[in-house]
Amino acid sequence: MMKATQQLHDLGQSVWLDNITRELLTSGKLRHYISELSVTGLTSNPTIFDKAIKGADFYDAAIDQKTAEGKSGEALFFELALEDLTQAADLLRPIHDTTGGMDGWVSLEVSPLLADDTGGTIKAAAMLYERAKRPNLFIKIPGTRAGIPAIEESIFAGVPVNVTLLFSCEHYMAAAKAYMQGIERRIAAGLDPKIYSVASIFVSRWDTAIKDKAPQVLHNRLGIAIAKRVYKSYRELLASPRWQKLASAGARPQRLLWGSTGSKDPNVSDTLYIEALVAPDTINTMPDKTLLAFAEHGKVQTTMPSDGGDAEAVLAAFARVNVDDVVLAAKLQREGVQSFAESWKDLMDCIAAKNVARKHFQPG
């Protein structure tokens, strides 16, 4: 019987893993996910790396060595991250090549401390992409007010971008326009328009944010309604004259990616967001637990309606109980930036503490 993950793949939706650890690579688990569960890409973020480095000793020897070489802080972390992600990129490279660059990607985020720094983000994105020397590495840039112009500039400079921390249709459209403007500038300058990008919409955080403010009948419905609204805009954009002109010049679409798709509510199915977000020409990036659950008992029954389906009716029901999705989207993005910044600080403290602990430990 065909696994549900393979069914998603056959429908035109890519299955990506929302995780990276050194153990995933050394144990062969990532290779298994690729060969057996139809995984064709991978995403990371500061929280994922914080848990990976803090939660095990797989990185301790490398931290020791890099500390002995005089490295510390962000510089040391990015060396660790690039070691992991270039290995993962190499594992996924055959997929990248056979799909003409549309799939087989890994993602590395710029420092979240740059969320309000356009110039610093542009510089960091270019530097990290150059250091990786892998064509299938996305640089993650948040779709914040300062991030949007950095996305356009990075695309123009030829850096593939995963736009992160998008929560609403407005956020998505700002990211899509930045991408198209970067491509239009490349075409005007006589440069290759084939610079890839994805736009990452965070879904389950909507439902977590309002779980105590909405009646039971509306629980776990807000994130999916927002996603349906965004998907409608995505399909409309791909059919628009502006995009068609770019496509005819050889540009590739900025694919929509569903992130934050693990169920947070223990009272609902652990595959809720995967089953609700089935849509061709999109990506769903999943934590290991969700990926394994979906492969085991998930069902592919319906695809998202290209016209948004019941999205506006559901959002109107939320408006009637005083949930303002525009205000909430801005709040969720701010909180997302803050959460990643806290994970980043925790990560730096963790690396420093491992250094100190090792310096004081002298085997007898």
Side-chain angles (χ1 to χ4, degrees), residues 21-84:
T21 68
R22 198 148 286 193
E23 189 263 341
L24 259 177
L25 296 161
T26 57
S27 68
K29 199 179 290 183
L30 179 57
R31 195 182 292 276
H32 170 76
Y33 287 166
I34 293 167
S35 64
E36 300 301 320
L37 301 183
S38 306
V39 166
T40 57
L42 176 149
T43 48
S44 71
N45 62 46
T47 303
I48 284 170
F49 271 113
D50 183 34
K51 288 177 181 170
I53 292 173
K54 198 161 61 174
D57 58 6
F58 289 103
Y59 294 88
D60 291 3
I63 290 171
D64 277 356
Q65 183 189 335
K66 293 177 196 312
T67 302
E69 293 166 0
K71 289 158 190 155
S72 62
E74 285 194 2
L76 192 158
F77 163 70
F78 277 120
E79 284 206 3
L80 292 175
L82 283 166
E83 285 170 0
D84 283 0

Side-chain angles (χ1 to χ4, degrees), residues 57 130 135 138 169 223 228 296 313 337 362 364:
D57 58 6
E130 170 57 30
F138 277 131
C169 210
K228 287 178 178 177
E296 182 192 294
V337 168
Q362 298 294 333

Side-chain angles (χ1 to χ4, degrees), residues 53-233:
I53 292 173
K54 198 161 61 174
D57 58 6
F58 289 103
Y59 294 88
D60 291 3
I63 290 171
D64 277 356
Q65 183 189 335
K66 293 177 196 312
T67 302
E69 293 166 0
K71 289 158 190 155
S72 62
E74 285 194 2
L76 192 158
F77 163 70
F78 277 120
E79 284 206 3
L80 292 175
L82 283 166
E83 285 170 0
D84 283 0
L85 288 168
T86 52
Q87 277 190 65
D90 291 344
L91 269 179
L92 290 158
R93 182 65 183 273
I95 295 166
H96 185 76
D97 292 344
T98 57
T99 59
M102 287 300 286
D103 216 332
W105 291 88
V106 301
S107 297
L108 173 64
E109 192 148 350
V110 297
S111 165
L113 306 184
L114 297 172
D116 297 319
D117 181 350
T118 303
T121 298
I122 293 165
K123 187 176 172 185
M127 180 270 290
L128 290 171
Y129 183 62
E130 170 57 30
R131 278 180 61 188
K133 292 185 169 34
R134 297 297 189 281
N136 55 330
L137 176 91
F138 277 131
I139 301 299
K140 288 180 91 170
I141 298 176
T144 55
R145 191 183 296 273
I148 292 297
I151 291 156
E152 178 186 334
E153 206 58 45
S154 296
I155 292 295
F156 176 63
V159 177
V161 175
N162 176 341
V163 186
T164 187
L165 289 176
L166 302 174
F167 287 90
S168 67
C169 210
E170 292 76 15
H171 289 170
Y172 163 66
M173 288 306 297
K177 285 173 182 172
Y179 173 65
M180 288 192 293
Q181 282 161 205
I183 296 296
E184 285 163 348
R185 288 173 58 197
R186 285 185 68 83
I187 291 169
L191 299 169
D192 185 355
K194 291 187 188 73
I195 304 300
Y196 292 87
S197 180
V198 297
S200 297
I201 312 297
F202 285 45
V203 184
S204 69
R205 291 192 191 187
W206 283 95
D207 296 316
T208 304
I210 55 91
K211 70 177 188 294
D212 299 325
K213 299 170 189 165
Q216 186 70 38
V217 70
L218 289 175
H219 279 197
N220 301 297
R221 295 185 68 191
L222 181 55
I224 291 165
I226 292 288
K228 287 178 178 177
R229 177 192 269 176
V230 174
Y231 187 62
K232 177 176 185 276
S233 290

Side-chain angles (χ1 to χ4, degrees), residues 257-309:
L257 180 149
W258 308 120
S260 184
T261 56
S263 299
K264 309 293 193 295
D265 184 345
N267 298 313
V268 300
S269 165
D270 52 3
T271 59
L272 171 71
Y273 295 104
I274 312 305
E275 292 176 7
L277 302 172
V278 176
D281 307 314
T282 66
I283 301 155
N284 197 318
T285 188
M286 317 171 190
D288 297 63
K289 187 177 173 185
T290 306
L291 171 71
L292 294 168
F294 187 71
E296 182 192 294
H297 56 255
K299 291 182 173 55
V300 178
Q301 292 172 317
T302 58
T303 57
M304 291 179 80
S306 57
D307 64 357

